[in-house]
Amino acid sequence: MASSDEHQQHEAHSEDSALISPLHEDDIIIDEASGVAIRVPPTYEDERIQIPDDEGTSFSWRKLWAFCGPGFLMSIAFLDPGNIESDLQCGTIVSYKLLWVLLIATILGLLMQRLSARLGVVSGLHMAELCYRHYQKLPRILLWLMMEIAIIGSDMQEVIGTAIAIFLLSNTKVPLWGGVLITILDTFTFLFIDNYGLRKLESFFILLISIMTVTFGFEYGTSQPDTADVLKGLFYPWCSNCDQRALLQAVGIIGAIIMPHNFYLHSALVKSRDVDRSRSEKVREANFYYFIECSVAIFVSLIINIFVLAVFAHGLYLKTNKEVHDSCANYTSINASVFPSTGEAANQLVDADLYNGGIFLGCTYGVAAMYIWAVGLLAAGQSSTMTGTYAGQFVMEGFLNLHWAKWKRVLFTRSIAIVPTFCVAFFTTIERLTSFNDILNVLMSVQLPFATIPLIAFTSSSKIMGEFANGLANKIMSIALSLFIIAINVYFVIVAIRDYNFAWPLLVLIGSIAFFYILFCLYLTVHMMVCMGNTRLLEVDWLRRYVLGPVDSHTIMHN
């Protein structure tokens, strides 16, 4: 039974908004309209940060400081090892010409993350909890599985990045498979820090972002790319003399920046602040400060990504393997064998990845540059590992109404991620391990509709968002952005499948999966249209029966 305070907050909202305030450990939410019971387990948001009451001021630095934290944790997804590798490959292949794509992708990510934060602030529930209430059981389970796949794929990238960082820091003394096993210790690191309180945890993440800023900023300052070329790449939206490889790099940048499970994560992280949702001015204030904080965090991530792309655009663009190998002559301790100096491969352009990118930096700018690169890569892997764990915890608790202890959740995700990564690291070369990132980017790209469509649906619903529901302009913009992002990711997947030259039985299987994939996307789209207020669809009996979730169905019956 809900507490009296919660009941008063619920009454303060209109019936149509159906907003429910978050409770603490072992409390139960009973939705009065549908009778759906939701147990709220202890998670990140249980420790509430109090917001100072600075009345009479249009802007308060104290309030902004109180709201700082969730946006920086969310921005880690813009800086994981998959993003770092995408940046360096883009710089190596097309120089500075696609920096504007990075800028646009980051802005698109900011706009979508803004919707995610608003959803958590206004509704008091995060995306996975809302999916539990507004989708029927089968589509809800399918959505959960898709997000688990995305989270595990992301975790595998983080394992790869951390293992390569350890490989570089040990100067190949610790084998790749050993680095993969060492990442198991991340579990204990996360649990140790998590016990010290919310503010200390957020400070630790900001420290890791600071380490990435300093280390990758050092590489930028050492290599000294042409500032005019960087600015032209950022603000001249064209790519002259670019081929299909450049197009794939552009698609890869967008796919790496916008992560599906990050929307679920951000909508949960914002619940950690004590916002009085019974007062619309307080909700509006929270949305305002969260947007500022989110913008700053994502701007920092953009600067770091620019650092990485520009360094390799300046140093590796149109460089052959032999040229880089010759530059390693003065550093015998560095493994220059990754750049062939004889045979056909010697005159081929460098195919950059996380490992040989570090070797290049060491050979060109000194051994210190290689180790500093490895430290930045290690910070990227460690930070994204921990945020991925939180995303997995929120997704599981929300979709299944199931609470696991944190150590079980970390162990579950990390075990599934480590087994295939360990096999690849043990039985193949480092080149195969780093190319594994491309497969994982494709895997996560196809999950994107299962985050963007529910996000737009919920933020456009007046029953969930009340007066804060998306207006017409917001709806058009978010749908257009989502269609654009989904289209380029589908293209990315099609090209990847074509390049692998699968046998026809496997192509038939892929085609069958694609058919059901599109069918499920259409199902989610119909549900989104209902949430947007398309009442004509509700006249179709089977839509009411099979598309509407428990809360939606009960609301329709009483209207």
Side-chain angles (χ1 to χ4, degrees):
M1 184 174 180
S3 66
S4 59
D5 288 340
E6 292 298 322
H7 183 67
Q8 290 173 4
Q9 286 190 20
H10 181 75
E11 287 184 338
H13 291 287
S14 65
E15 286 186 5
D16 288 339
S17 65
L19 304 181
I20 299 176
S21 295
L23 306 178
H24 294 286
E25 183 175 0
D26 296 328
D27 278 331
I28 302 293
I29 290 176
I30 304 294
D31 181 70
E32 296 177 1
S34 65
V36 176
I38 302 177
R39 180 172 61 85
V40 180
T43 52
Y44 171 97
E45 72 270 16
D46 287 333
E47 183 184 344
R48 301 302 177 86
I49 303 298
Q50 297 298 314
I51 308 302
D53 193 11
D54 294 345
E55 297 292 348
T57 58
S58 57
F59 180 83
S60 168
W61 288 103
R62 291 177 64 222
K63 285 185 179 180
L64 180 60
W65 174 248
F67 281 106
C68 276
F72 283 93
L73 269 70
M74 171 277 301
S75 71
I76 294 295
F78 290 66
L79 297 168
D80 69 0
N83 278 285
I84 301 301
E85 183 164 59
S86 178
D87 293 335
L88 70 88
Q89 287 177 343
C90 185
T92 302
I93 293 171
V94 292
S95 188
Y96 306 96
K97 296 177 183 178
L98 291 180
L99 273 169
W100 62 274
V101 176
L102 174 63
L103 175 63
I104 290 176
T106 304
I107 293 172
L108 294 181
L110 172 62
L111 294 175
M112 297 304 289
Q113 293 298 159
R114 170 180 172 268
L115 293 182
S116 176
R118 284 168 61 89
L119 180 63
V121 171
V122 176
S123 71
L125 299 171
H126 59 71
M127 271 186 68
E129 291 171 329
L130 286 165
C131 287
Y132 183 87
R133 293 162 52 83
H134 292 274
Y135 287 109
Q136 295 195 5
K137 185 173 182 180
L138 179 58
R140 187 175 74 240
I141 295 299
L142 289 175
L143 280 174
W144 169 66
L145 290 174
M146 294 302 102
M147 285 307 102
E148 288 290 358
I149 290 171
I151 291 166
I152 291 168
S154 177
D155 201 53
M156 290 173 73
Q157 287 187 316
E158 291 141 17
V159 169
I160 291 170
T162 302
I164 292 173
I166 294 171
F167 193 62
L168 281 168
L169 286 171
S170 67
N171 200 15
T172 72
K173 298 293 190 301
V174 177
L176 283 172
W177 59 266
V180 171
L181 292 179
I182 288 173
T183 60
I184 297 175
L185 297 176
D186 293 346
T187 303
F188 302 102
T189 304
F190 168 77
L191 294 174
F192 176 76
I193 297 171
D194 189 51
N195 287 329
Y196 278 84
L198 177 58
R199 270 314 205 185
K200 290 184 176 61
L201 180 69
E202 291 173 344
S203 299
F204 179 72
F205 278 100
I206 292 175
L207 172 63
L208 292 175
I209 293 174
S210 301
I211 290 173
M212 284 185 268
T213 306
V214 171
T215 53
F216 297 137
F218 171 84
E219 307 292 359
Y220 183 88
T222 302
S223 62
Q224 296 183 339
D226 191 298
T227 303
D229 287 339
V230 173
L231 292 175
K232 180 181 177 182
L234 277 171
F235 301 109
Y236 180 66
W238 192 251
C239 188
S240 58
N241 301 318
C242 290
D243 55 12
Q244 188 182 30
R245 291 181 71 201
L247 178 59
L248 288 176
Q249 287 304 313
V251 173
I253 288 173
I254 297 173
I257 285 287
I258 303 175
M259 308 284 279
H261 57 283
N262 213 33
F263 300 142
Y264 289 86
L265 174 67
H266 198 194
S267 63
L269 294 177
V270 296
K271 293 168 59 180
S272 59
R273 270 51 181 179
D274 191 11
V275 177
D276 182 2
R277 294 186 302 105
S278 66
R279 298 170 59 188
S280 60
E281 67 271 17
K282 293 297 182 183
V283 174
R284 190 171 289 106
E285 176 186 79
N287 287 333
F288 171 73
Y289 283 108
Y290 270 135
F291 181 64
I292 294 175
E293 185 243 2
C294 179
S295 299
V296 171
I298 290 180
F299 176 75
V300 172
S301 74
L302 172 64
I303 295 299
I304 294 173
N305 283 312
I306 290 173
F307 283 162
V308 175
L309 193 152
V311 165
F312 289 92
H314 175 73
L316 274 185
Y317 179 57
L318 298 180
K319 284 284 183 71
T320 64
N321 286 309
K322 189 175 188 308
E323 287 177 305
V324 180
H325 186 278
D326 292 344
S327 68
C328 296
N330 297 326
Y331 301 99
T332 56
S333 62
I334 295 179
N335 177 26
S337 63
V338 294
F339 301 105
S341 59
T342 59
E344 264 186 47
N347 294 318
Q348 292 177 354
L349 297 179
V350 173
D351 185 12
D353 56 46
L354 292 173
Y355 177 66
N356 65 21
I359 298 297
F360 153 75
L361 291 173
C363 293
T364 308
Y365 306 113
V367 178
M370 181 184 74
Y371 288 119
I372 290 172
W373 166 260
V375 170
L377 187 57
L378 184 64
Q382 292 295 291
S383 56
S384 50
T385 290
M386 296 179 191
T387 54
T389 299
Y390 270 127
Q393 184 178 7
F394 294 134
V395 163
M396 176 175 283
E397 291 173 356
F399 275 110
L400 304 182
N401 194 25
L402 173 67
H403 175 60
W404 275 12
K406 286 187 177 68
W407 69 269
K408 291 181 181 178
R409 175 66 224 188
V410 177
L411 193 60
F412 170 77
T413 305
R414 181 45 54 91
S415 299
I416 296 177
I418 279 181
V419 171
T421 311
F422 176 81
C423 292
V424 173
F426 190 82
F427 294 107
T428 63
T429 62
I430 191 166
E431 290 79 14
R432 289 288 183 86
L433 184 64
T434 51
S435 65
F436 201 34
N437 263 329
D438 297 332
I439 299 173
L440 293 173
N441 277 334
V442 172
L443 180 68
M444 285 181 287
S445 294
V446 299
Q447 312 299 328
L448 204 55
F450 309 127
T452 56
I453 296 176
L455 177 62
I456 296 170
F458 297 146
T459 54
S460 299
S461 171
S462 60
K463 291 182 173 58
I464 296 173
M465 300 291 287
E467 64 180 287
F468 296 96
N470 291 335
L472 180 61
N474 254 343
K475 289 177 184 177
I476 293 173
M477 179 192 66
S478 57
I479 292 174
L481 292 181
S482 298
L483 288 174
F484 172 70
I485 294 165
I486 291 168
I488 61 176
N489 279 290
V490 168
Y491 172 80
F492 189 42
V493 173
I494 291 172
V495 171
I497 291 173
R498 184 189 63 192
D499 290 344
Y500 275 97
N501 296 318
F502 293 116
W504 71 264
L506 195 54
L507 286 175
V508 171
L509 176 62
I510 293 173
S512 301
I513 295 172
F515 172 76
F516 288 106
Y517 173 87
I518 293 172
L519 201 63
F520 189 37
C521 289
L522 289 174
Y523 174 93
L524 295 175
T525 302
V526 171
H527 182 273
M528 178 184 70
M529 294 172 68
V530 172
C531 288
M532 287 182 169
N534 192 323
T535 55
R536 294 184 64 183
L537 290 173
L538 299 176
E539 297 173 4
V540 183
D541 181 64
W542 66 270
L543 282 179
R544 289 200 305 271
R545 186 179 305 172
Y546 297 111
V547 174
L548 300 182
V551 173
D552 299 316
S553 299
H554 196 280
T555 302
I556 296 301
M557 288 173 60
H558 286 77
N559 282 343

